[in-house]
Amino acid sequence: MNTSKIFRQYVRHRPRFLYEYYSTAATPQLSDINTTNPKPFKDIPGPTGIYNLPKIGAMFLFKPFSKYGLESIHEVSDNLNDKYGPIFRFGPGGVSTSDPKDIEQVYKNEGKYPVRPGLELASIYHERSQKEKGLALLEGEKWAELRQKVQKVTVRPKSALHYIEGQSGVAKDLVLLLKSTKPEDIRELLFIYAIESIAVVCFNKRLGILGGHVTEDVKNYLENMKVFFNLLDTGLSTFPLFKYYETPMYKKFRDAVDKCYGFGKVKIEESLGKAVEMTKDGTWNPEDPNLLMSLLTDDRLSIDQVTGLVLDLLIAGTDSTAKTLEVFLDCLARHPDIQETLHQEILDHIGRHGDLTAETLPNMKYLTACLKESFRMHYPVSMGAIRILPNDIVLSGYHIPKGTSIFLNNRRMIKDPKYVKDPTVYRPERWLRDQKGEKAEQIPSIGLIPFSIGVRNCVGRRFAEQEIYLAGAKIIQNFKISTNHNSAEPKVAYTPFCTLTDQPMLTFEERI
Ligand code: HEM
C-alpha cells in the first residue's frame, strides 16, 4: 500500500484542522447595464485588417510579424494604448481597458465562476496526460468546489502567519549565505530562496538547499519550471497548433511539466511518510500549521487532487515570488535614501538582530509601502487579470458581447499621471496614511491589485507577500544594497511574471 493510503487510514477519523471557513466571495452583482445606447463593439478603436482575422488576428502583433516577442506584450499593449486610447480592441475577440471604472465593472460582473482565458497549453497537457487539474485551470462548479477547500487554508490574513517562523528561518539562511559567500548569480539564489520558502508551506519542511549546496533534483526542477513558465502563454501569440497535435513546443512543455510534477511527487511522498510516523507515535498536533495534512484530512478531496493542488502551489509559488523579490531589491538598491528609511523602521520594530514575527510584521507600514511601490513601478503581470464574462457588458460606452476576452490593464493605469502623481518616481510614501488614516495620495483603489481581486484572485498572495517581506527586511537589516544598473527605469520582460531584462548586479555591503 502506498504512503498516501496508509496516511489516510491513520487520519480519516481524526479531528479536522481548525481553520475556519473564509471566503472572499461576494454575491455577484450584474451591473445595471445600459444596453439602449452603447456604441457597437466594432467601433472600439484598434488595429484593423489582418489584426481582425478570427482566432489568428492578435498573432500578427508579435514575432515574426513584428519586432515584439510575447515577453514584450507590455510594449505592444502600450503602443496600442498610445495610439488608440485607454480602451482598444486586441484582435477580433479581445479588448483591453485601463479605465478604472471599466475595471471595476468587469470585476462586478465576473459572475460566480469567473473565467480566466489564456492557459490552453497547460489545460491540454492535463487533459492529454489525464492529470487532475488544479485551481488555475479548473472552471465552473468544479473550480468553485476546490477553491472553497483551498482558500480556507490559504487566503485569510492569518494563513501565512502560521508559517512565519519557518519562513523567517529561510530568510535568515539567505542572509547567512550572502554574508559567507559572494554569490555571483543573485537571480538563481532568489529562486532557491523562493522554493525553499514555499516548501515550508507545501511540504511542511525545509528542503535544506540554502546552505550553498543545491541538489541535482532541485536544479532540474528549477530548469524545468523556467521552461514551463516561458512556454505557458505561448497560445496568446501563436496559432495554437498544439491543440490539434503534439508539436515540438508542446513536447518540450510536457517533458518540463512531467519533471516538475515528478519532483513534487517525491517530496509529497516524503512528507506523507513523516505524517504517518507522526500520527502513529502521536506527535502530530492537528493545531499545527500543515497545509498538506489539512488537505488530506478533508475526505472530499482525493489523494490525486491533493497532490495536484500542492504541486500547483509549489510551481505557482516559485517563479512569481523569486522574480518579484528581484524587482523589489532592485528598486531598493536604486534608492539608498529609501533603504535608510526602511532600515530605520526595521531597527524601530525588531532591532539590529531581531526577526519579523506575527506580531511585528503587521506594523511594518513602510516595508509594505516599499513593496506596493515596487509592484506599481513594475507590475508583476503584463496587464492585470483577464476575464471572459458570462453576460454582455458596457465598457467606456461600448457594447462588449459575452465571450470577449477582456484584458484589465492595471499595469498601464497605475503608471498614468491621471491617477498617480509623478508616476515614474519610486516613492513608497504615496501609500502611507497620516495620523487620521488619510491616504497621502488619492489613487483609485482598483488600480494596484497585483494579485487581482474578487472570487478568483491569487490564493498565494499572503505567502508571496510574507516571503518577500521576510527576505527584504532581513537583507536591509544586514546590508546596504546597491546596483550597477544606472538607467532611470530598467527594461523588463514578462515571462509571464515581470523580470528585469538585464539581470542586476546587486552588491551587498554588510552593515556594522
Ligand atoms: C508575487 C507573487 C504573485 C503574484 C504577483 C501573483 C499573481 C496572481 C494573479 C494576478 C493571479 C490571477 C488572478 C485572477 O485571475 O483574478 C493569480 C492566480 C493564482 N495564483 Fe498567484 N501570484 C503570486 C504568487 C503566488 C503564490 C506564492 C502562489 C501559491 C502558493 C500562487 C498561486 C496562485 C493560484 C493557484 C492561482 C489561481 C487561482 C484560481 O484560479 O482560483 N500565486 N496569481
Side-chain angles (χ1 to χ4, degrees), residues 283-478:
T283 49
W284 174 46
N285 175 3
E287 302 278 341
D288 288 343
N290 190 329
L291 179 95
L292 196 59
M293 293 274 242
S294 64
L295 292 173
L296 280 165
T297 46
D298 187 332
D299 291 340
R300 296 164 301 173
L301 287 170
S302 71
I303 299 281
D304 278 353
Q305 274 179 313
V306 174
T307 308
L309 193 61
V310 172
L311 293 177
D312 270 3
L313 296 181
L314 177 78
I315 294 175
T318 313
D319 191 78
S320 54
T321 312
K323 286 177 177 165
T324 303
L325 180 55
E326 181 185 285
V327 169
F328 180 47
L329 293 178
D330 186 71
C331 282
L332 293 175
R334 284 161 191 275
H335 299 90
D337 47 335
I338 289 170
Q339 255 185 77
E340 286 319 299
T341 312
L342 177 56
H343 184 237
Q344 193 53 52
E345 181 181 72
I346 294 167
L347 292 183
D348 291 348
H349 289 280
I350 56 172
R352 179 77 187 83
H353 304 287
D355 302 322
L356 284 177
T357 60
E359 288 70 42
T360 49
L361 180 56
N363 301 328
M364 303 293 289
K365 305 291 182 219
Y366 198 69
L367 177 64
T368 313
C370 287
L371 180 59
K372 275 191 173 172
E373 187 64 348
S374 163
F375 276 136
R376 192 192 65 77
M377 292 295 285
H378 307 295
Y379 212 70
V381 284
S382 61
M383 293 199 190
I386 315 174
R387 289 288 183 268
I388 291 181
L389 301 186
N391 295 302
D392 293 6
I393 191 175
V394 174
L395 298 178
S396 292
Y398 294 100
H399 172 242
I400 312 291
K402 69 177 177 186
T404 305
S405 294
I406 307 176
F407 291 73
L408 303 178
N409 200 345
N410 287 76
R411 184 190 57 79
R412 171 76 180 207
M413 185 203 138
I414 210 69
K415 290 289 251 324
D416 188 332
K418 219 158 85 187
Y419 307 113
V420 180
K421 275 187 214 142
D422 308 325
T424 55
V425 179
Y426 181 73
R427 188 188 294 144
E429 284 74 9
R430 67 174 95 240
W431 300 106
L432 296 177
R433 290 174 185 267
D434 65 17
Q435 305 279 16
K436 290 189 207 141
E438 299 286 332
K439 282 189 199 158
E441 213 178 292
Q442 296 307 318
I443 301 171
S445 53
I446 195 86
L448 190 70
I449 45 170
F451 298 94
S452 183
I453 53 168
V455 292
R456 196 149 197 180
N457 70 347
C458 175
V459 282
R461 172 186 172 179
R462 306 282 175 199
F463 300 109
E465 286 177 335
Q466 177 162 295
E467 289 164 28
I468 296 165
Y469 291 145
L470 289 173
K474 212 65 207 147
I475 287 173
I476 300 301
Q477 183 185 42
N478 287 277

